[in-house]
Amino acid sequence: MPDVWIVFSPADRRRYWWRTGVVVTVLVGATVAMGLAEIGSDPWWWVGVFGILYLVAIFDLVNRVYGRTLLTSAGMELRTLVSRRRVPWSEIAGVEERRRTNRNGTWTDLRITRHRGRPLALPGTLTKRRGDAELDRKHVAIQEYRSRATAAAPTSAQAAG
């Protein structure tokens, strides 16, 4: 079976970059305004604290946008800017959609549940659109690849006999 990548489309990446740009502009403007306002005797430490929080939030978003998942016959490889993790098909109990709701709306992504250990979010599957056909396509592709890979792999009883 050929390897398959689960990634964001170029249009999705552009949309997330625009969203990041707007958020960064608003947050930097708020931080500068707060720093220039006279709040007590020394307001600049607030600017540093908020600046660090903004950098962490921006890094998290960039990490999510450039994350991707590689489906191979041996398992899944989850790649982000800072990490790589391989999960064999034998460790995966299932693939599920996770929905998180906050003030900005409902975000949906795909997660793998493992037989042991905590669930892992799959890079390249985050969306805010309700009923996203692209997310459904990715979910079906992962399920099909998993079923083919586990059907092609010999079980321990077949290998021993």
Side-chain angles (χ1 to χ4, degrees):
M1 289 185 296
D3 295 348
V4 175
W5 285 102
I6 302 294
V7 298
F8 286 116
S9 67
D12 286 340
R13 281 193 179 166
R14 269 192 308 276
R15 188 175 62 248
Y16 287 127
W17 274 116
W18 274 104
R19 182 175 288 151
T20 302
V22 169
V23 169
V24 167
T25 303
V26 168
L27 294 178
V28 167
T31 302
V32 169
M34 196 170 56
L36 295 176
E38 293 189 35
I39 306 172
S41 61
D42 193 17
W44 289 105
W45 69 274
W46 282 97
V47 173
V49 168
F50 283 109
I52 290 170
L53 291 175
Y54 300 154
L55 287 176
V56 168
I58 291 166
F59 178 77
D60 179 57
L61 187 59
V62 170
N63 196 34
R64 286 179 188 263
V65 169
Y66 282 103
R68 55 189 184 213
T69 301
L70 177 63
L71 307 176
T72 68
S73 58
M76 300 174 100
E77 187 170 317
L78 315 177
R79 296 182 182 184
T80 63
L81 287 176
V82 294
S83 70
R84 270 188 193 180
R85 176 180 279 188
R86 292 184 182 176
V87 182
W89 293 115
S90 60
E91 284 185 23
I92 299 173
V95 180
E96 62 185 22
E97 285 188 15
R98 176 180 67 164
R99 287 183 175 80
R100 293 173 290 154
T101 302
N102 59 21
R103 288 183 284 186
N104 297 326
T106 301
W107 292 88
T108 306
D109 64 350
L110 297 177
R111 296 169 59 109
I112 55 172
T113 54
R114 299 183 296 169
H115 293 291
R116 286 184 227 144
R118 63 182 179 85
L120 297 172
L122 296 178
T125 63
L126 182 69
T127 186
K128 191 174 178 181
R129 293 183 297 234
R130 193 171 281 182
D132 189 2
E134 182 72 15
L135 183 67
D136 293 339
R137 185 192 62 75
K138 291 175 183 179
H139 194 177
V140 167
I142 292 169
Q143 293 286 24
E144 286 179 1
Y145 208 91
R146 178 176 173 243
S147 65
R148 286 183 190 161
T150 54
T155 62
S156 58
Q158 291 172 339

